[in-house]
Amino acid sequence: MHDAVRTLATLGPAAVSAAPAVRGHLSQDPEEHNAWLHWVLWRIGDDPAGNLRAVGESLSVKGQSRGVVAVGFLTDFGTAAAPYADRVRNALESELPGIRLRAAIALWSITGDPGPARPLLEDEFLAMAAGGEYYGSFGEALSALIRHGGTPSERARTALESLRAQDARLSPCGDYRAVLDDEKYRALIDTALSE
């Protein structure tokens, strides 16, 4: 089911006829999937305002710990998610580095202010250049920098150049996927460095 719903999100408004089936999963799936399903409904064009509200209100307010996983879904809503910016800021205090990174990226998308995001993005580049293995977080950080037209700082540029110069494949895989991953990450690095 998850692969099918992800495919619908990729199709966007062309998949709006599947909205009733996706809405049906809101009552069948575990509650922690609701923000994701509302994001999918928004992507396919079903009730944009209602689905934004459902995703935004799934995030915790100050002093709560629920819903922080959904913070990354607000990135795509951009400035329309401004009413939930404070909830996104709360997620910046998460103990989980991945949640903090997604919150920073979402906040940049919502406010246009790169201030909270840049240090977290650059930490990902530095960690990867120092031998890190979290390719997913690295890819998210690099994609966010490119999407928002950010220019890497000198230390981030040095880290990215170091990664590009490595002889080893940029991938956690040891099979054919290593070649595909390596090509993808090197293309992202080249794009970021060309900014």
Side-chain angles (χ1 to χ4, degrees):
M1 188 284 288
H2 288 87
D3 289 339
V5 174
R6 260 193 230 90
T7 300
L8 293 174
T10 302
L11 291 172
V16 73
S17 62
V22 176
R23 277 194 304 273
H25 281 280
L26 286 168
S27 59
Q28 297 169 6
D29 281 22
E31 189 176 335
E32 60 266 16
H33 291 181
N34 283 358
W36 175 60
L37 291 169
H38 280 291
W39 171 79
V40 170
L41 286 166
W42 172 79
R43 290 283 308 236
I44 64 177
D46 180 71
D47 187 15
N51 286 304
L52 167 58
R53 188 171 45 258
V55 174
E57 291 178 2
S58 73
L59 294 178
S60 63
V61 294
K62 192 76 170 169
Q64 296 177 334
S65 60
R66 69 174 178 82
V68 293
V69 175
V71 72
F73 297 127
L74 286 178
T75 300
D76 289 345
F77 290 96
T79 57
Y84 306 103
D86 285 341
R87 293 180 187 221
V88 174
R89 283 185 189 92
N90 291 338
L92 285 172
E93 299 171 13
S94 171
E95 295 176 7
L96 303 172
I99 299 297
R100 285 195 307 270
L101 176 65
R102 288 184 193 100
I105 293 168
L107 196 58
W108 191 354
S109 177
I110 292 167
T111 67
D113 177 12
R118 289 190 76 89
L120 290 170
L121 299 181
E122 293 185 356
D123 285 349
E124 291 295 328
F125 308 154
L126 296 171
M128 188 58 66
E133 298 179 356
Y134 296 107
Y135 287 90
S137 297
F138 170 71
E140 281 182 72
L142 202 46
S143 295
L145 183 71
I146 293 165
R147 181 173 54 247
H148 293 296
T151 303
S153 70
E154 197 54 45
R155 72 184 192 129
R157 180 173 289 283
T158 300
L160 293 172
E161 288 171 347
S162 167
L163 284 166
R164 186 175 58 185
Q166 283 184 9
D167 196 28
R169 298 252 186 235
L170 297 176
S171 175
C173 302
D175 55 15
Y176 72 93
R177 293 173 295 178
V179 175
L180 301 174
D181 286 347
D182 187 62
E183 289 175 356
K184 174 179 75 174
Y185 291 124
R186 287 181 189 279
L188 286 171
I189 290 169
D190 287 344
T191 302
L193 290 175
S194 70
E195 294 294 326

